[in-house]
Amino acid sequence: MGSVASFFGRLFGKEEKKEEERNFRANDRPYNLSYHYANNAIKTSKYNLFTFLPLNLFEQFRRLANAYFLFLMMLQVIPQISSLSWFTTAVPLILVLTMTAVKDASDDINRHRSDKQVNNRMVSVLIDGELRSEKWLNVQVGDIVKLENNQFVTADLLLLSSSEPLNLIYVETAELDGETNLKVKQALSVTGELGDSIEALAGFKGEVKCEPPNNRLDKFKGTLTLDGQSYSLDNDKVLLRGCTLRNTEWCFGLVIFGGPDTKLMQNSGKTIFKRTSIDHLMNVLVLCIFGFLASMCTIMAIGNAIWEVREGSVFVAFLPREPGVGAALSSFLSFFSYVIVLNTVVPISLYVSVEIIRLGNSFYIDWDRKMYYPKNDTPAQARTTTLNEELGQIKYIFSDKTGTLTQNIMTFNRCSINGKAYGELFDFRGQRVEITEKTEKVDFRWNKLADPKFVFHDHSLVETVKEGNQEAQSFFRLLALCHTVMPEEKKEGELYYQAQSPDEGALVTAARNFGFVFRSRTPETITTVEMGRTVTYQLLAVLDFNNVRKRMSVIVRSPEGKLTLYCKGADTIIYERLHPSCNELMKVTTNHLNEYAGDGLRTLVLAYKDLDDRYMEEWRQRHHEASIAMDDREERLDELYEEIEKDLMLLGATAVEDKLQDGVPQTIEQLSKADIKIWVLTGDKQETAENIGYSCNMLREEMKDVFIVAANTAEGVREELQKARRKMCPAAAEEPSVSKARAGLFWLEKTQTVQDEEVDGDYGLVINGHSLAFALEKNMQLELLRTACMCQTVICCRVTPLQKAQVVQLVKKYKQAVTLAIGDGANDVSMIKAAHIGVGISGQEGMQAVLSSDYSFAQFRYLQRLLLVHGRWSYLRMCKFLRYFFYKNFTFTFVHFWYAFFCGFSAQTVYDEWFITLYNLVYTALPVLGLSLFDQDVNDRWSFQYPQLYSPGQLNMYFSKKAFVRCMLHSCYSSLILFFIPWAAMHDTVRDDGKDIADYQSFALLAQTCLLVVMNIQLCLDTHYWTAVNQFFIWGSLAAYFAITMTMYSNGMFFIFTSSFPFIGTARNSLNQPNVWLTIFLTALLCLLPVVAYRFVLIQLRPTINDKVRHKVRKEALPAPAPRIPHPRRISTRRSGYAFSHAKGYGDLVTSRRFLLKLPLKSRQVLFSQTDSPLAQNQPQHYRTIAEEPENSQRQEV
């Protein structure tokens, strides 16, 4: 539609100029409206009331068959060439167009409702000096809006002021980048002074010049001019639509971009009309059939001309021609007459049946109880009915990580304290016991401040802590003190933690449950409750995390005056700084760490050091001098940190699980066995994404290598990709092997396919967002694709929503494979739209992904059932349907072709006209629908047992151009038998009473009866799975044929409608003759015997995977559901600590006096006022982070 609009725009000279810079003034609507910037309304619908009919019909008539039937109907109106009534084509065509239009209208009405719901949200807007409640769609660029806690951000805003100290606000960006951690934004000081004064805000006359609308989520450049002064604007001062305001009472923002110009909408991608590969193939085949039909009609027309010249003159005496009609005109008219007679090669009932089959298979998905998630009361949903068979042909899956593979929940799983491992259970034989939901949990009721949602199963750890074990208590004391978590206590004992990372929240909560509760903090103190006793520590220093240090330390003084440094970090970093006396303990702890890493857990090592007062006083003095130094400040501070973090004493290690959704590793394993490649595209950090890769068994220790591409220059990225490719396949050519071909309708579409290359062994590839930006450039994208496709697993991290779509489009373009994208957040929408199939997870990140998807369900594990069962069956059924449908209609039509040589090419039909009308609508409609809705080669359990059954769909083995040609040859053979055997049997024969039987009507009845019997037996041979419905349809159709035939050929019908039912008495005179039934039997035998013989020989010599499994099914019992087998223990030297992926923390902010100052607001009770605290709502406690990486950290470049 956009292209149509732009065409008319160019036609009338109204083509819009591309915006190069945005310039607007605050509180000046007339000035801003002169630039014609987009308002804040969004539109995802395709039609409106006036455009629906023309645009929808235009879309439908782009399907070649619909256009053909319209042309055919116009031909049938011309009496000189039509031998069939016009309504025989008009009624089915109108039915198909109406059904499709109703479905499209329903889909678009849902889109309109969604748009209306969003556009009619209310927000406070400053207009004419007062705050008014306005709908989102009425918000304009340059307006000042007020947001309150937990509100969605209305548009892309420049933050002006907030309720928080230092003009800070906290936003959740899950809808944009999939991360649930809170990000900090900060307004300029000059605008922060405006506060919430309506008078000051109304008088604000700042002018903003900034970049035009774009899709870069991580970049923003602009300047604010106020009172002659210019202030630089960057991404930290901008709130993006799609974010949610958290823990901030209010803030004011200036609208920069609205509606379609916002970065969220710029990243959402265009809605494209999706068609399956079978649809595209059908268009090509229909075009070929038209060519074939034209050639047959040409042959008939030439035959008619020859016959008219040679034989026609003999009949002129008693069959005079109409005036002016000679042999040439007769031949020309017969061409179009045969177009009508032979049109059944592409009957319109084909498209009606296809829509019914797709609808039926969609209902199976909706009704599948095994894809229903009872916890959320969420069933699977087929949101489109046109793509089912494509589910059986998927080659590449592109998956989001956060919320799709994982649950967004961190859990404290295990720990090692003083050389002893806790968290696992063992039976009396010393065998590890798998922990399930039924396993007995530790009872924490002895601790009144414990988090009721915290789950742990190893009772021995609680007993150790209760017994007063010094190492265990020091371990949890460290976890309660060494962090930058901010607490919120709404009611007595009801704690809610705001953590710098979800891991940190999990560790502090673990300490809380084991008796060391972090209660509150001030810039100088930390208050804990240790085993029921309140203890306040003096906080002397926070040595915070950053990407280089990979550790964090705090220095505290206990009430007894004891000085201690507590440190936690990556094992490689901490081990270098341990006291030599810890060597033995370090070896034991390393073994435990290897076990945890082998299970994909995120690990940290804990250590401490006692300090003396004199040294500490001197160190603090040097620290103060270094912190105010003008030169080499960072280097001097690092040296001081290195100095004090030495000779540490090892306490132990923690293991936190980034909890996967249930069944994710098993699902990925099953899909891999089906030869489906899975790529993970996530906005999360590299370390986190890599860790999940190992947890899911996508990345494995056994892999020969896992390549990390993280270069910051185009040349660096190219070198890393080439190095990886050469290592995987040294013998491969430097240039990729690209095969070019033509495809599509009229073969106008040029395709390029990058050939797969053989690789010895399994490899993985992890590529960062900024490197991916270079790799997706035109001169490097083939290198990226080539290298990535050699790898078993590809993980792209820190990617923008648009990059996700670009990766999908790259694979679609150069691999010619069917792709599926699955995600749960707004950041996945563009990827879901770009892929052939889009799947939305009904998760914690809203419903945007579901609304844009083709299929939706609640858990990633249901994907294997969607593909391996429903997708495979749908593809199998559709292919069988098409093969059988083309076979029965080509056979039906070819009989007309042979008959033409015996009727003077006069376009006379070989069958009764009523049989022609009812053949596809009644006699053969239900049996083939029964096959297409109920057939299955093996049941769902066998489908899971042998995922390899899926691979034929990826290779288009069941229906292709070759299969179509084989179908035509089979039809040609059958039609020869079906015409010439009855013709020979009826030629010069007599009835058993000596009367003549060889008339046209008796031959027509015999030919059509033979045809119908053969078609039904062929259907029986194609059916693998019999149901009562199949039996009823087949026998019912035969019974209906004989009942209708006897009725229509009866005396009564002839007397009532003489001209419509001329075959009086034919049925009773023919069907009571034994030689007629013998002819039917002989015809059926000759048609079907070669088919049975060919299939038998094929199964013996070249059995397919389906043949082998079906043979096994007949011999063996039904496989039991796969038991839950605990994963074998893996030992890994690879570490996955969240310390590796941390940006610089907020230690300085936490210890800042100004940060914790309360503003004198009447309603402000606590710093972090979240009204929907999970504990308050009795919901699972999720940990949100307040970390945001600085500009110089690793970020993606679009």
Side-chain angles (χ1 to χ4, degrees):
M1 282 184 65
S3 59
V4 175
S6 62
F7 168 76
F8 284 113
R10 286 194 297 272
L11 193 66
F12 297 107
K14 293 182 180 178
E15 187 173 8
E16 292 183 8
K17 285 186 177 180
K18 190 175 180 182
E19 190 177 337
E20 293 180 0
E21 184 183 63
R22 178 149 294 200
N23 184 0
F24 63 93
R25 294 174 189 162
N27 296 313
D28 192 348
R29 274 198 174 186
Y31 174 81
N32 299 331
L33 287 171
S34 67
Y35 286 94
H36 304 291
Y37 295 136
N39 64 14
N40 203 40
I42 62 163
K43 180 174 175 288
T44 59
S45 55
K46 291 166 67 177
Y47 313 107
N48 60 36
L49 204 59
F50 302 105
T51 62
F52 174 73
L53 199 61
L55 282 175
N56 189 260
L57 287 175
F58 173 73
E59 281 284 351
Q60 292 202 58
F61 282 115
R62 284 175 63 188
R63 182 181 272 176
L64 198 59
N66 287 345
Y68 163 67
F69 290 123
L70 183 65
F71 169 69
L72 197 68
M73 188 178 77
M74 291 163 66
L75 283 183
Q76 286 180 309
V77 175
I78 304 169
Q80 285 83 357
I81 59 176
S82 178
S83 54
L84 292 170
S85 303
W86 64 272
F87 58 81
T88 56
T89 300
V91 172
L93 178 62
I94 291 168
L95 184 67
V96 169
L97 295 176
T98 305
M99 281 175 62
T100 309
V102 167
K103 183 172 68 65
D104 289 345
S106 172
D107 290 345
D108 209 57
I109 287 168
N110 288 334
R111 283 191 285 267
H112 272 285
R113 282 178 184 156
S114 173
D115 291 346
K116 188 177 179 182
Q117 182 186 357
V118 173
N119 289 331
N120 288 337
R121 286 176 180 164
M122 304 303 289
V123 67
S124 298
V125 185
L126 187 60
I127 301 175
D128 298 332
E130 60 177 342
L131 276 178
R132 298 180 191 170
S133 188
E134 286 282 343
K135 293 179 180 178
W136 277 25
L137 62 88
N138 295 327
V139 174
Q140 301 284 347
V141 171
D143 287 351
I144 293 177
V145 299
K146 180 183 181 182
L147 300 178
E148 296 182 349
N149 193 32
N150 297 324
Q151 270 192 340
F152 289 108
V153 177
T154 312
D156 288 357
L157 308 176
L158 169 65
L159 180 60
L160 296 178
S161 62
S162 86
S163 58
E164 300 303 305
L166 305 180
N167 303 313
L168 295 169
I169 67 159
Y170 305 96
V171 289
E172 186 182 272
T173 60
E175 295 286 1
L176 287 171
D177 57 18
E179 293 189 27
T180 52
N181 50 325
L182 297 189
K183 305 285 176 63
V184 177
K185 302 283 184 178
Q186 187 172 26
L188 289 167
S189 301
V190 68
T191 61
E193 292 167 0
L194 298 170
D196 60 348
S197 165
I198 301 301
E199 188 179 337
L201 287 162
F204 177 69
K205 298 299 179 186
E207 185 170 343
V208 175
K209 290 185 179 178
C210 66
E211 60 188 22
N214 59 71
N215 52 46
R216 295 191 297 273
L217 292 174
D218 62 323
K219 299 286 182 189
F220 180 81
K221 289 180 182 176
T223 56
L224 169 68
T225 304
L226 184 64
D227 300 329
Q229 294 287 319
S230 291
Y231 303 90
S232 176
L233 304 176
D234 58 24
N235 205 45
D236 288 332
K237 296 170 181 60
V238 173
L239 307 183
L240 300 182
R241 179 175 179 145
C243 298
T244 308
L245 194 67
R246 297 289 190 203
N247 302 323
T248 307
E249 193 171 334
W250 53 260
C251 75
F252 284 88
L254 177 66
V255 178
I256 304 172
F257 301 121
D261 290 344
T262 59
K263 296 195 182 245
L264 175 68
M265 296 304 292
Q266 291 277 314
N267 270 286
S268 66
K270 292 180 180 176
T271 302
I272 56 172
F273 184 63
K274 293 184 179 181
R275 281 200 174 121
T276 67
S277 53
I278 284 183
D279 268 339
H280 290 297
L281 178 60
M282 288 254 292
N283 262 355
V284 174
L285 292 180
V286 165
L287 192 64
C288 294
I289 290 168
F290 290 161
F292 182 68
L293 177 64
S295 61
M296 280 201 299
C297 293
T298 304
I299 293 169
M300 299 292 101
I302 293 169
N304 179 266
I306 294 169
W307 188 88
E308 285 288 349
V309 171
R310 291 188 177 181
E311 308 286 340
S313 56
V314 178
F315 296 91
V316 173
F318 60 92
L319 282 176
R321 294 192 180 104
E322 289 183 19
V325 177
L329 183 58
S330 174
S331 170
F332 176 75
L333 293 176
S334 72
F335 175 88
F336 291 102
S337 297
Y338 269 110
V339 167
I340 295 170
V341 170
L342 303 179
N343 82 81
T344 45
V345 284
V346 190
I348 196 160
S349 59
L350 169 67
Y351 291 96
V352 179
S353 302
V354 163
E355 291 300 325
I356 292 171
I357 292 163
R358 285 173 171 166
L359 187 65
N361 285 311
S362 297
F363 282 136
Y364 290 151
I365 295 170
D366 294 343
W367 296 337
D368 192 343
R369 289 185 178 182
K370 293 180 181 176
M371 293 172 68
Y372 169 73
Y373 191 56
K375 285 186 180 176
N376 295 349
D377 187 27
T378 309
Q381 188 180 8
R383 296 175 56 81
T384 180
T385 60
T386 56
L387 302 171
N388 296 328
E389 64 271 17
E390 196 105 298
L391 290 169
Q393 298 180 276
I394 304 297
K395 183 67 180 174
Y396 289 88
I397 292 175
F398 300 92
S399 174
D400 177 40
K401 180 195 75 71
T402 311
T404 303
L405 300 177
T406 64
Q407 297 181 30
N408 279 350
I409 299 171
M410 297 288 179
T411 57
F412 177 82
N413 244 18
R414 293 180 226 163
C415 61
S416 170
I417 303 175
N418 198 32
K420 185 174 179 184
Y422 297 93
E424 290 191 306
L425 300 181
F426 299 89
D427 59 18
F428 62 91
R429 294 171 296 176
Q431 297 291 317
R432 190 161 64 109
V433 176
E434 186 189 9
I435 293 173
T436 65
E437 290 184 2
K438 295 180 181 177
T439 308
E440 186 187 357
K441 298 167 187 169
V442 173
D443 185 0
F444 289 106
R445 280 181 295 181
W446 58 272
N447 179 0
K448 291 181 181 178
L449 293 174
D451 180 355
K453 302 296 183 291
F454 181 81
V455 175
F456 203 73
H457 297 90
D458 188 354
H459 294 72
S460 64
L461 182 53
V462 178
E463 297 307 318
T464 303
V465 175
K466 282 183 174 179
E467 287 167 5
N469 182 290
Q470 289 300 313
E471 289 80 8
Q473 293 199 352
S474 295
F475 181 92
F476 286 112
R477 185 177 292 115
L478 186 153
L479 293 181
L481 295 171
C482 186
H483 55 77
T484 54
V485 169
M486 299 299 297
E488 174 192 357
E489 190 168 1
K490 293 188 141 186
K491 297 178 184 175
E492 181 69 22
E494 209 172 77
L495 282 168
Y496 185 75
Y497 292 144
Q498 290 291 342
Q500 185 174 337
S501 82
D503 312 59
E504 207 163 54
L507 294 176
V508 175
T509 301
R512 167 185 173 181
N513 275 59
F514 283 99
F516 289 77
V517 184
F518 167 55
R519 194 72 181 265
S520 63
R521 81 180 324 139
T522 70
E524 293 91 11
T525 64
I526 297 176
T527 302
T528 62
V529 178
E530 298 183 356
M531 305 305 288
R533 185 171 64 95
T534 301
V535 182
T536 300
Y537 291 88
Q538 186 181 353
L539 179 62
L540 302 178
V542 176
L543 286 55
D544 210 352
F545 266 120
N546 65 34
N547 279 332
V548 178
R549 282 172 44 76
K550 296 176 183 170
R551 64 189 184 277
M552 173 195 180
S553 299
V554 294
I555 301 172
V556 296
R557 188 192 300 275
S558 69
E560 294 79 27
K562 185 179 176 183
L563 277 172
T564 311
L565 178 145
Y566 290 110
C567 182
K568 66 181 182 186
D571 59 318
T572 51
I573 303 296
I574 302 291
Y575 281 177
E576 294 170 0
R577 292 161 174 77
L578 290 180
H579 192 274
S581 63
C582 298
N583 286 345
E584 286 302 315
L585 179 56
M586 186 173 75
K587 290 177 184 175
V588 179
T589 306
T590 301
N591 290 335
H592 294 156
L593 284 169
N594 290 343
E595 290 178 7
Y596 301 156
D599 288 341
L601 303 178
R602 297 151 74 95
T603 57
L604 279 180
V605 171
L606 313 184
Y608 74 99
K609 177 184 178 180
D610 291 326
L611 304 170
D612 63 65
D613 285 331
R614 189 180 303 166
Y615 172 74
M616 187 61 203
E617 199 59 43
E618 183 214 337
W619 185 88
R620 286 184 72 182
Q621 181 60 35
R622 287 189 287 143
H623 180 270
H624 176 70
E625 290 170 5
S627 63
I628 61 173
M630 297 302 293
D631 300 322
D632 303 326
R633 180 186 301 173
E634 294 297 326
E635 290 78 1
R636 289 176 63 180
L637 285 172
D638 284 342
E639 285 175 17
L640 282 170
Y641 291 168
E642 286 288 338
E643 176 193 313
I644 201 166
E645 291 173 326
K646 272 187 194 170
D647 295 330
L648 303 174
M649 301 302 293
L650 181 61
L651 274 174
T654 63
V656 172
E657 181 183 4
D658 188 358
K659 208 164 181 61
L660 293 173
Q661 287 191 11
D662 292 339
V664 166
Q666 296 88 336
T667 300
I668 287 172
E669 185 181 355
Q670 283 285 86
L671 295 174
S672 297
K673 286 180 182 174
D675 199 25
I676 297 173
K677 293 190 175 181
I678 302 176
W679 293 19
V680 175
L681 310 176
T682 177
D684 219 330
K685 304 179 185 75
Q686 179 182 319
E687 171 65 21
T688 313
E690 215 178 315
N691 172 56
I692 291 300
Y694 280 98
S695 301
C696 297
N697 291 331
M698 295 173 68
L699 298 175
R700 299 182 301 278
E701 294 293 325
E702 309 85 64
M703 283 183 163
K704 285 194 171 182
D705 204 347
V706 176
F707 303 108
I708 309 291
V709 178
N712 290 309
T713 64
E715 275 311 305
V717 172
R718 187 188 297 277
E719 284 173 19
E720 288 182 358
L721 288 171
Q722 288 177 346
K723 185 180 175 183
R725 174 175 55 76
R726 287 165 188 156
K727 182 171 181 180
M728 289 186 284
C729 194
E734 280 301 303
E735 292 300 317
S737 172
V738 181
S739 59
K740 296 183 179 181
R742 286 188 173 272
L745 204 58
F746 302 107
W747 290 266
L748 296 176
E749 187 185 328
K750 294 178 181 177
T751 63
Q752 293 178 292
T753 308
V754 175
Q755 301 301 318
D756 289 330
E757 296 173 85
E758 291 296 323
V759 177
D760 183 24
D762 290 344
Y763 295 87
L765 176 69
V766 179
I767 183 166
N768 233 316
H770 55 260
S771 303
L772 187 63
F774 293 118
L776 286 170
E777 289 174 2
K778 201 165 187 179
N779 61 349
M780 211 189 301
Q781 57 184 204
L782 287 184
E783 188 66 56
L784 167 68
L785 183 68
R786 192 179 174 195
T787 306
C789 289
M790 287 181 179
C791 298
Q792 185 75 14
T793 297
V794 179
I795 297 176
C796 304
C797 43
R798 281 296 188 202
V799 293
T800 64
L802 194 68
Q803 282 178 329
K804 291 184 178 186
Q806 288 171 336
V807 171
V808 174
Q809 284 160 350
L810 179 65
V811 173
K812 277 175 70 176
K813 182 178 179 181
Y814 288 108
K815 297 306 286 186
Q816 307 303 322
V818 182
T819 58
L820 179 146
I822 179 168
D824 72 320
N827 58 317
D828 304 312
V829 168
S830 56
M831 170 176 77
I832 284 169
K833 287 180 177 178
H836 293 98
I837 303 278
V839 177
I841 300 277
S842 311
Q844 297 177 16
E845 292 184 23
M847 294 295 287
Q848 274 82 353
V850 170
L851 292 173
S852 303
S853 66
D854 305 306
Y855 300 89
S856 68
F857 41 72
Q859 293 279 289
F860 181 83
R861 68 176 183 270
Y862 298 147
L863 183 62
Q864 64 174 322
R865 187 166 182 84
L866 183 72
L867 301 188
L868 302 185
V869 178
H870 291 289
R872 201 177 66 79
W873 283 349
S874 294
Y875 174 69
L876 193 72
R877 289 164 181 163
M878 184 60 74
C879 292
K880 271 194 177 183
F881 166 78
L882 291 173
R883 289 200 308 267
Y884 176 77
F885 209 97
F886 281 125
Y887 166 70
K888 78 181 179 70
N889 282 290
F890 269 104
T891 306
F892 175 89
T893 308
F894 281 158
V895 174
H896 280 300
F897 183 79
W898 307 126
Y899 182 62
F901 292 91
F902 294 84
C903 70
F905 305 97
S906 60
Q908 184 183 6
T909 56
V910 69
Y911 313 115
D912 168 25
E913 188 174 314
W914 282 104
F915 179 79
I916 294 171
T917 305
L918 298 175
Y919 178 69
N920 279 309
L921 291 177
V922 178
Y923 300 147
T924 60
L926 289 179
V928 73
L929 279 179
L931 171 81
S932 311
L933 290 174
F934 301 111
D935 199 48
Q936 48 184 260
D937 51 352
V938 293
N939 64 25
D940 54 348
R941 286 199 196 168
W942 285 103
S943 298
F944 285 135
Q945 188 87 354
Y946 294 96
Q948 298 85 352
L949 286 166
Y950 190 81
S951 56
Q954 298 167 326
L955 303 171
N956 287 318
M957 284 175 63
Y958 294 144
F959 190 72
S960 60
K961 291 170 187 171
K962 285 183 182 177
F964 177 71
V965 171
R966 285 198 298 269
C967 183
M968 281 185 66
L969 294 173
H970 183 199
S971 297
C972 189
Y973 165 77
S974 297
S975 66
L976 283 166
I977 300 294
L978 285 165
F979 177 77
F980 286 102
I981 296 294
W983 175 80
M986 297 292 284
H987 188 61
D988 293 335
T989 191
V990 292
R991 289 161 45 88
D992 51 6
D993 59 3
K995 292 179 182 176
D996 192 5
I997 197 176
D999 63 290
Y1000 159 71
Q1001 293 185 345
S1002 300
F1003 170 70
L1005 176 66
L1006 179 57
Q1008 66 197 36
T1009 306
C1010 288
L1011 174 72
L1012 203 60
V1013 169
V1014 167
M1015 290 304 109
N1016 277 287
I1017 298 174
Q1018 180 66 47
L1019 188 78
C1020 295
L1021 291 177
D1022 288 344
T1023 302
H1024 286 145
Y1025 184 73
W1026 285 94
T1027 65
V1029 178
N1030 292 69
Q1031 298 273 8
F1032 174 74
F1033 282 171
I1034 287 172
W1035 295 110
S1037 292
L1038 284 171
Y1041 165 71
F1042 285 110
I1044 292 170
T1045 301
M1046 297 299 285
T1047 303
M1048 287 185 172
Y1049 295 178
S1050 65
N1051 294 1
M1053 295 300 285
F1054 176 75
F1055 289 134
I1056 299 169
F1057 307 103
T1058 306
S1059 60
S1060 300
F1061 300 100
F1063 279 51
I1064 180 172
T1066 306
R1068 63 175 181 269
N1069 287 337
S1070 299
L1071 296 178
N1072 62 3
Q1073 298 301 305
N1075 60 346
V1076 169
W1077 290 105
L1078 182 63
T1079 304
I1080 293 171
F1081 174 74
L1082 183 64
T1083 307
L1085 197 65
L1086 287 172
C1087 280
L1088 299 165
L1089 203 58
V1091 176
V1092 174
Y1094 173 73
R1095 290 185 182 180
F1096 175 78
V1097 171
L1098 204 63
I1099 287 174
Q1100 298 304 315
L1101 300 180
R1102 289 172 55 196
T1104 62
I1105 179 73
N1106 296 64
D1107 296 329
K1108 291 173 183 175
V1109 174
R1110 288 181 63 235
H1111 177 70
K1112 199 165 188 176
V1113 168
R1114 285 194 289 269
K1115 289 195 167 188
E1116 296 181 13
L1118 192 69
R1124 284 178 61 90
I1125 303 170
H1127 285 294
R1129 169 56 56 84
R1130 294 188 295 121
I1131 304 298
S1132 172
T1133 55
R1134 177 196 157 273
R1135 293 291 177 273
S1136 179
Y1138 72 92
F1140 284 107
S1141 55
H1142 244 64
K1144 188 177 187 316
Y1146 282 92
D1148 294 340
L1149 203 56
V1150 164
T1151 55
S1152 161
R1153 282 185 175 278
R1154 289 185 301 158
F1155 177 65
L1156 287 174
L1157 286 174
K1158 301 283 200 316
L1159 286 183
L1161 295 173
K1162 292 179 184 177
S1163 61
R1164 189 172 179 82
Q1165 300 298 320
V1166 292
L1167 173 64
F1168 293 114
S1169 56
Q1170 177 147 334
T1171 56
D1172 58 345
S1173 164
L1175 282 174
Q1177 302 294 333
N1178 197 27
Q1179 295 172 353
Q1181 185 168 352
H1182 302 150
Y1183 306 107
R1184 308 188 183 282
T1185 78
I1186 55 171
E1188 180 173 45
E1189 291 193 353
E1191 287 295 321
N1192 59 359
S1193 67
Q1194 294 179 347
R1195 282 196 170 181
Q1196 65 271 23
E1197 193 83 54
V1198 178

